[in-house]
Amino acid sequence: MVGGKEQQVKIAVVGTGYVGLVVGTCLAETGHDVICVDSDKAKIDLLKRGKTPIYEPGLEELVRRNAQEERLAFTTNLKEAVEKSLVIFIAVGTPPDDTDAADLCNVFEVARDIGRAMNGYKIVVNKSTVPVGTADKVGETIAAETREEFDVVSNPEFLKEGAAIEDFMKPDRIIIGTSDVRVAEIMKELYAPFVRTGHPIIVMDIRSAELTKYACNAMLATRISFINEIANLCERVGADVDKIRQGMGSDARIGPAFLFPGVGYGGSCFPKDVRAVVRSAAEAGYEFRILRATDEVNEQQKSLLIGKVMRHFRGDLRGKVLALWGLSFKPRTDDMREAPSLTIVRGVLERGASVRAYDPVAAKVASAIFGGDVVLVKRNYDALEGADGLIIATEWNEFRYPDFKRMASLMKERVIFDGRNIYSPKTMQEHGFTYYSIGRP
Ligand code: NAD
């Protein structure tokens, strides 16, 4: 209910990927009438049948219920969706282009189509992660197509894949970039059901809102690269990064989150967003040195396990069979965009090994990427049959307490390369495994 008139707002969400589908579904869950648009007909057909094109815990059930209750609809027809709606979210992808800048083609295409479909006042909300100044350009693009009035708002999204619904329903904060008080009120009312526990809705100017999103991702990525460098130093000086992480994390000024060393960050956001900030800073005449280093460290970190594997097998992987657990860039998602597993798998394949991989949900995505180059198995233990070693690339919970005896009986050689530090070195020793992890003795 928006505008103080107890009136339901019609909402369109353009782009039904990891973000758009969650946004649309959660807004429908609070009673709004939402129409989700995507140019991918196969996705829309699937959604109309109550199936989700991506894996996100809890999402499919929510989609199905809201669709059944006729608050959530799906279409490829953007014009119709725009005509019916007051608020239109743009949630299309902004992947990196060949200069590492955010590719805004999809955003501007949607803006143009919105402009062409305008049949009255609209609020156009940029949900996609976009560089500073994009809202202005979206406004210009729409204005070139229509004489109808509209406002453009920046409303970056902070959800995490794997916990997207919880994050959207109970956000730490909502950022709204607009200079129009009335528009801010409408947006605040739209989000009111999600901030009943008192988390803030922060209204700011559009440019600051656009940059806030990048600043957050850049900070989190930097913490990961920082702890990875500490881990790399630990390996050289005989210290234990786990102890250091605890020691650092209990400092109230630092906090424990995002201080887990590993094989680097991946996904559809951190890598591209860090590079996009470096790039747009350069365009503004500023060299963002910390973020350049964050990216460099991360790229290096993704190859760290390959080095450990090579050293263990004395530089020769030919004929070796390597099991790999976890393909997605993090647990609870099937997203493999820029996943460290990609670097690791390709690295060991290039050096002559073969790979038997298991992931609880990403097998379908992985098979489209690797084709027949990797054997994808249905159960984690199947990957271990005849394996010369096991690589752990993603810390899915189900890997934490495996049957080590069974593992040992299946593997040709008892060696584990743990890229996520999920086992204790002591336990590994007790079970007779040679165990490599990150930054621990
Ligand atoms: P995605 O690739 O999963 O989904 C994008 C969708 O947009 C696709 O379904 C695609 O078919 C559709 N699309 C593209 N062009 C279109 C057009 N012209 N008309 C209609 N539909 C079109 O992307 P995503 O992961 O949901 O990310 C979307 C945006 O949100 C990006 O800017 C991303 O950086 C940002 N973001 C992502 C996350 C995340 O965890 N994935 C979190 C916060 C912010």
Side-chain angles (χ1 to χ4, degrees):
M1 308 298 150
V2 165
K5 296 178 198 147
E6 300 274 300
Q7 198 187 353
Q8 210 189 27
V9 167
K10 302 265 190 206
I11 297 166
V13 181
V14 187
T16 57
Y18 287 88
V19 168
L21 187 56
V22 171
V23 170
T25 307
C26 291
L27 288 170
E29 181 70 9
T30 58
H32 290 295
D33 204 343
V34 180
I35 181 151
C36 288
V37 186
D38 205 288
S39 51
D40 184 337
K41 185 171 179 302
K43 263 189 193 181
I44 293 298
D45 287 345
L46 205 62
L47 286 161
K48 280 182 172 167
R49 296 203 305 274
K51 300 240 173 286
T52 50
I54 52 163
Y55 174 81
E56 180 59 48
L59 184 59
E60 193 160 279
E61 191 200 328
L62 221 54
V63 166
R64 216 174 289 153
R65 184 153 49 75
N66 282 284
Q68 264 161 16
E69 289 167 16
E70 297 183 351
R71 290 188 297 266
L72 183 61
F74 300 98
T75 182
T76 52
N77 189 335
L78 182 132
K79 183 168 184 286
E80 192 188 314
V82 169
E83 282 171 357
K84 284 184 184 160
S85 306
L86 169 66
V87 180
I88 303 150
F89 285 86
I90 302 180
V92 295
T94 49
D97 68 13
D98 46 19
T99 69
D100 281 340
D103 185 342
L104 300 174
C105 287
N106 295 335
V107 171
F108 292 135
E109 189 183 305
V110 171
R112 186 202 61 201
D113 292 347
I114 291 172
R116 289 182 185 167
M118 296 266 282
N119 60 340
Y121 173 76
K122 311 280 174 193
I123 298 174
V124 178
V125 185
N126 261 349
K127 198 44 133 171
S128 299
T129 303
V130 290
V132 173
T134 304
D136 292 344
K137 290 186 191 149
V138 163
E140 288 161 19
T141 309
I142 297 172
E145 303 291 338
T146 182
R147 289 188 164 174
E148 301 286 356
E149 299 227 336
F150 66 92
D151 281 290
V152 180
V153 177
S154 167
N155 169 223
E157 181 50 54
F158 297 94
L159 62 77
K160 301 183 288 295
E161 287 172 23
I165 293 169
E166 173 85 1
D167 284 350
F168 190 86
M169 295 288 203
K170 295 179 190 157
D172 290 341
R173 68 353 202 144
I174 307 274
I175 302 287
I176 293 176
T178 178
S179 48
D180 188 297
V181 178
R182 203 179 53 119
V183 171
E185 284 311 309
I186 294 176
M187 293 300 294
K188 278 185 186 171
E189 259 191 77
L190 202 63
Y191 276 112
F194 306 107
V195 290
R196 291 173 58 220
T197 46
H199 288 176
I201 295 180
I202 306 171
V203 179
M204 58 178 80
D205 63 281
I206 294 189
R207 287 181 170 243
S208 303
E210 288 172 328
L211 193 51
T212 301
K213 170 64 192 176
Y214 278 114
C216 289
N217 277 0
M219 178 73 197
L220 295 172
T222 301
R223 281 176 72 106
I224 294 174
S225 277
F226 180 84
I227 198 70
N228 280 337
E229 290 224 272
I230 295 285
N232 295 342
L233 182 57
C234 283
E235 292 188 5
R236 285 158 180 83
V237 298
D240 183 343
V241 71
D242 246 0
K243 302 281 186 303
I244 295 168
R245 182 177 62 75
Q246 287 164 26
M248 283 176 70
S250 50
D251 186 322
R253 295 166 302 177
I254 297 173
F258 283 79
L259 283 182
F260 291 87
V263 283
Y265 57 77
S268 65
C269 292
F270 286 6
K272 83 165 168 63
D273 290 352
V274 165
R275 290 181 211 131
V277 177
V278 172
R279 173 80 203 169
S280 56
E283 276 167 17
Y286 184 73
E287 191 194 347
F288 211 134
R289 285 172 294 175
I290 289 181
L291 290 185
R292 198 181 285 284
T294 293
D295 184 41
E296 271 169 28
V297 169
N298 194 57
E299 283 307 302
Q300 194 180 298
Q301 201 71 14
K302 290 202 266 182
S303 302
L304 191 75
L305 274 195
I306 304 173
K308 289 182 193 262
V309 171
M310 285 295 281
R311 278 192 291 284
H312 177 82
F313 293 108
R314 298 196 171 77
D316 188 6
L317 296 190
R318 284 171 305 172
K320 299 292 178 200
V321 178
L322 293 171
L324 184 131
W325 282 1
L327 290 158
S328 55
F329 85 92
K330 67 171 177 181
R332 293 165 66 85
T333 179
D334 60 353
D335 198 342
M336 283 185 63
R337 289 178 280 188
E338 301 216 28
S341 69
L342 295 170
T343 308
I344 297 168
V345 168
R346 288 184 183 131
V348 299
L349 287 179
E350 270 166 23
R351 290 165 176 81
S354 59
V355 174
R356 295 170 61 79
Y358 168 76
D359 188 282
V361 298
K364 203 167 139 208
V365 178
S367 104
I369 296 171
F370 296 125
D373 293 345
V374 169
V375 177
L376 294 161
V377 298
K378 290 215 156 51
R379 288 170 310 177
N380 58 344
Y381 294 108
D382 295 347
L384 302 174
E385 280 171 23
D388 293 286
L390 166 65
I391 297 172
I392 297 173
T394 316
E395 69 280 29
W396 281 89
N397 261 340
E398 64 180 77
F399 302 154
R400 288 184 190 273
Y401 294 100
D403 179 344
F404 290 115
K405 281 206 182 93
R406 188 170 167 199
M407 289 171 70
S409 73
L410 289 166
M411 293 174 72
K412 205 152 93 191
E413 194 184 333
R414 295 181 189 188
V415 54
I416 297 180
F417 305 92
D418 180 356
R420 301 294 182 177
N421 289 359
I422 61 177
Y423 305 131
S424 93
K426 189 164 161 278
T427 311
M428 291 293 92
Q429 199 178 20
E430 283 163 12
H431 285 92
F433 281 90
T434 303
Y435 181 63
Y436 299 90
S437 58
I438 312 283
R440 301 188 296 178

